[in-house]
Amino acid sequence: MSHEAISVFDMFKIGVGPSSSHTLGPWRAAQLFTRTLEEKNLLNEVQSVEVLLYGSLAKTGIGHGTDIAVQLGLSGDDPVTFDVNSINAKIADIKNMRKILLAGRHEIDFTPSDDIEFLVAETLPFHPNALSFLVSMRNGDSFAETFYSIGGGFVVQEPKPDAIVTGSPQDAITLPFPVNTADELLHWCRTTGMAIHEVVMENENSWRPEAETKAGILNIWRVMKECIYRGCNTEGYLPGGLNVKRRAFDVNKKLMQGKIENNYDEWLSHIHAGGNSFNYILDCVSCFALAVNEENAAFGRVVTAPTNGAAGVIPAVLQYFISFCNGNDDDKIVKFLLTASEVGSIFKKGATISAAMGGCQAEIGVSSAMAAAALTESLGGTQRQTLMAAEIAMEHHLGMTCDPIAGLVQIPCIERNTMGAIKAITACQLALQSTPDFAKVSLDGVIKTMWDTALDMNSKYKETADGGLAVNIPISLSEC
Ligand code: SF4
């Protein structure tokens, strides 16, 4: 059996909200397309570009900023480094000037409302999130490429859908401990005596030196914690027209009890000093998750974990570990994220992390399972308890549909991250109090069940905003 090699940096990617499949993936696809034009020496010959968005990208693309993402990608901007505060101005410039600077250096005419087409009635067979770029050359030739955004910011290209074009280099990578399933992971733990995070780190060493991996993971955590802090300290309403009020700001204010915080470290010490009553911890965890996903909805800088819509669950649980479980230590943070990433990659290989394929169980459900496993191992659980926690967390997300109101990653998405985080903590606690010998459901069993459920799920509930809350809640979108 072949083993897809997925690195921690494939599961956790620094990007821009609000959606990994509808924003980050299309952004990456546009970058890849312009790179191909450069490699083929076609860039300076391009006269016009047309972007076709199919299926789910067409149906909820406006709410998820897909049109914005492809314009930034075509312009040569990078989602990791681009100043998110400049997005509106740049998009307004393209619209007003009717020009785009392809790859940052070749200017062509471009009218977003004409040159980006939302083909809501068309779906390509390989995946619901498809987009094509068509260029016409000055000499009359044309050139086109099609990409699929398959969830979590991963992008694959036609005609080789099995070739991942974003992600860690696959060529010549032979992992010492290849893993497709939870059973295989457990096998390596048993035969080597290593903890899960140690097996993952050994595999990561195939890509780069350990010190580099650690530094990269701590950089991921830096972006996550800055996102929590920013979300806790930003007041107002989210963009998109639903008029959703940001709540993390008010909750955080109550948690601070009048204390002033000027930076993350001061904030952390105030959080820590607030006690450890059940209600206080619940409020804190909810606040952490709300903060991240409000930032995500506002096109802020976030880390896909494993997606943007579910970006708040893992930071909230890790922040809980740091604030209330003595987890404020670089090594502990690295181990936490290594274990979380491995569980996410097993879900990706055995099922999906794309809501367009599997509904919200694939986003919030997977992130909750990742967080539950990481917390359990971090709190001293055995390898089997760690995998059991992931199983419990997913078992109670099975069948959860994706039904974002107005196609915006706001309702139910933002609150749903608080639920995913709390369920992860509950699943961890339950696993720590349990004997895996008596468990009836395995992690691999629940992953297969999730995938079967995904296949049976009506497409109305797969990031199309055609069903569920998206059609039952009458909200006017006067500003959209
Ligand atoms: S409902 Fe869930 S899967 Fe759908 S956009 Fe919201 S968070 Fe993502």
Side-chain angles (χ1 to χ4, degrees), residues 15-46:
V16 176
S19 169
S20 50
S21 58
H22 286 56
T23 318
L24 183 59
W27 189 325
R28 288 287 188 214
Q31 282 182 298
L32 288 161
F33 181 66
T34 54
R35 200 172 303 155
T36 304
L37 292 175
E38 286 179 308
E39 284 165 7
K40 291 181 179 294
N41 288 323
L42 295 175
L43 187 71
N44 293 331
E45 303 308 313
V46 173

Side-chain angles (χ1 to χ4, degrees), residues 302-335:
V302 295
V303 175
T304 61
T307 65
N308 279 34
V313 174
I314 290 168
V317 176
L318 178 48
Q319 186 62 64
Y320 159 80
F321 174 59
I322 287 170
S323 303
F324 300 106
C325 310
N326 203 21
N328 197 10
D329 170 277
D330 284 356
D331 279 346
K332 291 181 182 177
I333 292 166
V334 168
K335 290 172 187 175

Side-chain angles (χ1 to χ4, degrees), residues 453-469:
T453 307
L455 295 176
D456 288 341
M457 196 181 276
N458 190 299
S459 66
K460 284 193 295 188
Y461 304 114
K462 294 180 177 178
E463 218 166 6
T464 54
D466 284 340
L469 287 173

Side-chain angles (χ1 to χ4, degrees), residues 276-322:
N276 58 4
S277 76
F278 185 69
N279 284 354
Y280 177 72
I281 292 177
L282 267 184
D283 285 346
C284 284
V285 174
S286 294
C287 183
F288 305 155
L290 289 175
V292 171
N293 284 81
E294 287 171 358
E295 280 297 290
N296 182 60
F299 290 80
R301 171 135 294 125
V302 295
V303 175
T304 61
T307 65
N308 279 34
V313 174
I314 290 168
V317 176
L318 178 48
Q319 186 62 64
Y320 159 80
F321 174 59
I322 287 170

